[in-house]
Every structure is written in C-alpha cells, then in structure tokens.
Amino acid sequence: MHKIVGKPRLVGMAGSLRRSSYSSAVLSGLRENLLPAAQIETCDLRLPLYNEDEDGPAAPEEVRTFREAIWASDGVVIVTPEYNHGIPGVLKNALDWASRPFGESALIDKPVLVISVSPAFTGGVRAQAQVNETLLAIGAGIVTGPQVVIGSITGKIQDGLLVDGESLRFALGALDRLIAMSRNDRTSQRLLA
Ligand SMILES: Cc1cc2nc3c(=O)[nH]c(=O)nc-3n(C[C@H](O)[C@H](O)[C@H](O)COP(=O)(O)O)c2cc1C
C-alpha cells in the first residue's frame, strides 16, 4: 500500500483540454490554497485513445508516465465538466488507461476526490455520478461525504483561478477528507508492518 512521505502529493486531472477551462481553473485555485500544506501536480490527459492491443509493458510512453504519476501520488483530484449529461471522453479515456492492468491498477484503493463544475446551476452532477461509477468499477478509494458540485462556475473564476470563497471552503473540506484517507493508509502500513 502507498505510504505518505513528507507533505501530501496529489495528482490533479481536469476533464477538459480547453485553454481557458473552468475545470483547470478550479484545480489551479485549489493548488494555490493548499500550498504549502500539500501540492497538486496536474496530469496531461492528452493520451492516445485506449487500445488494448497497445496496452501492456510496452504501453505508449505518455500512458506509462501518467500511470507512474498516479502510483507516486498520495491521492487524486478530478475536476470535470459534464458533456452531454456524461463524462467528457478525454477523462473517461484517461480513467480507462489508469484502470489497467486489471487488478493491478494504480488507482486501486487510491483516494480519489471528484469535483464537477458547470456554467449551469446543475454543476455537472450527472458527470460526477458517472465518474464515481467508473471509479467504483476500478476499485479506487472514492472520497465520500458531501459531493463537491460547483454550479454557475463562470462567475466564480478570476484570472484562471477559482476565487469564490464558499466553493473554495467546501472543496478544501473535501480535500481534507482525501488527505485524511491517505494518512489512514499510512496507519495501515504501520499496523501491517
Ligand atoms: C460537447 C459539450 C457538451 C456539453 N454538455 C453539457 C451538459 O450536458 N451539461 C452541462 O452542464 N454543460 C454542458 N456543456 C457546457 C460545459 O459545461 C462548458 O462548456 C464548460 O465550460 C466546459 O468545461 P471547461 O470550462 O472545463 O472546459 C457542454 C459543452 C460541450 C463542449
């Protein structure tokens, strides 16, 4: 099981490749507010489309880098928009790569927090439910508790950062739960050692 060394190192995934993405801005806002207690390193989700023929020890280099980043992290923060009431393809594709090898995925038991955002008041809640379902299939350590669903996101971002105080407080509370889950991993390590 993964063991925290020093301050928690989290991996961030934004479910959008858009340059001025609100999802990326939420990740950036959280990163700013977490420092120096923890760090979030954003993963590049520009991965090839999943192809089982190309998977295995010789999987594409960017996929191996992506998997390594998850292995090395204490937890994962996913911030996603909703596309057509579902998971954006880019995020689903990344999670499919991360889910393999079957039974040995870097995401198994890894604490994962899901945050959804939307310009609509619904906050991408349907995408959030689908991401959680996918994480359930993978066996990830889904962070439970109040769901972080940020609606009307347009007015909550300034200069590429989430600045809305209430949303930040709520999301940082969920990040606390994620970090607490990672610390429990460390405790389990001690108990098992
Ligand atoms: C293909 C597509 C489908 C979308 N479908 C939804 C949707 O079902 N629900 C929703 O709330 N917003 C939907 N939107 C609007 C996105 O929430 C909005 O574009 C958002 O800003 C995208 O996230 P980003 O800022 O991180 O790129 C859709 C946008 C696109 C491009």
Side-chain angles (χ1 to χ4, degrees):
M1 195 179 281
H2 185 85
K3 189 172 180 171
I4 289 186
V5 179
K7 69 179 173 188
R9 289 178 307 157
L10 308 178
V11 153
M13 298 182 196
S16 165
L17 302 179
R18 198 167 71 85
R19 260 190 304 279
S20 304
S21 157
Y22 297 123
S23 311
S24 302
V26 168
L27 266 182
S28 302
L30 293 175
R31 186 191 299 112
E32 294 268 309
N33 279 273
L34 270 181
L35 286 170
Q39 65 187 49
I40 302 181
E41 183 198 327
T42 305
C43 269
D44 191 354
L45 300 193
R46 265 168 261 252
L47 305 173
L49 286 178
Y50 186 83
N51 180 346
E52 203 170 349
D53 293 335
E54 290 169 15
D55 204 354
E61 192 184 343
E62 55 271 53
V63 168
R64 284 183 280 129
T65 304
F66 173 63
R67 286 174 173 160
E68 276 305 314
I70 299 172
W71 273 116
S73 75
D74 299 309
V76 175
V77 188
I78 295 174
V79 184
T80 187
E82 176 176 281
Y83 278 3
N84 298 307
H85 293 188
I87 308 181
V90 68
L91 176 61
K92 181 61 165 59
N93 185 54
L95 291 175
D96 288 340
W97 279 116
S99 72
R100 298 278 142 162
F102 180 69
E104 294 168 35
S105 160
L107 280 174
I108 293 176
D109 291 334
K110 182 74 68 180
V112 183
L113 173 66
V114 183
I115 296 174
S116 61
V117 306
S118 176
F121 81 98
T122 39
V125 70
R126 291 159 292 216
Q128 169 143 181
Q130 291 184 14
V131 176
N132 283 332
E133 192 67 28
T134 296
L135 293 172
L136 198 61
I138 297 172
I142 301 169
V143 176
T144 54
Q147 290 189 325
V148 188
V149 173
I150 311 180
S152 308
I153 188 72
T154 318
K156 297 176 179 169
I157 302 291
Q158 249 173 42
D159 301 325
L161 296 175
L162 175 67
V163 291
D164 178 64
E166 201 175 329
S167 307
L168 271 170
R169 264 192 302 283
F170 200 63
L172 288 168
L175 275 163
D176 271 348
R177 297 200 299 279
L178 182 156
I179 290 166
M181 274 177 79
S182 299
R183 294 221 167 91
N184 284 340
D185 281 353
R186 184 170 53 173
T187 307
S188 307
Q189 277 266 331
R190 283 207 190 116
L191 290 175
L192 291 170

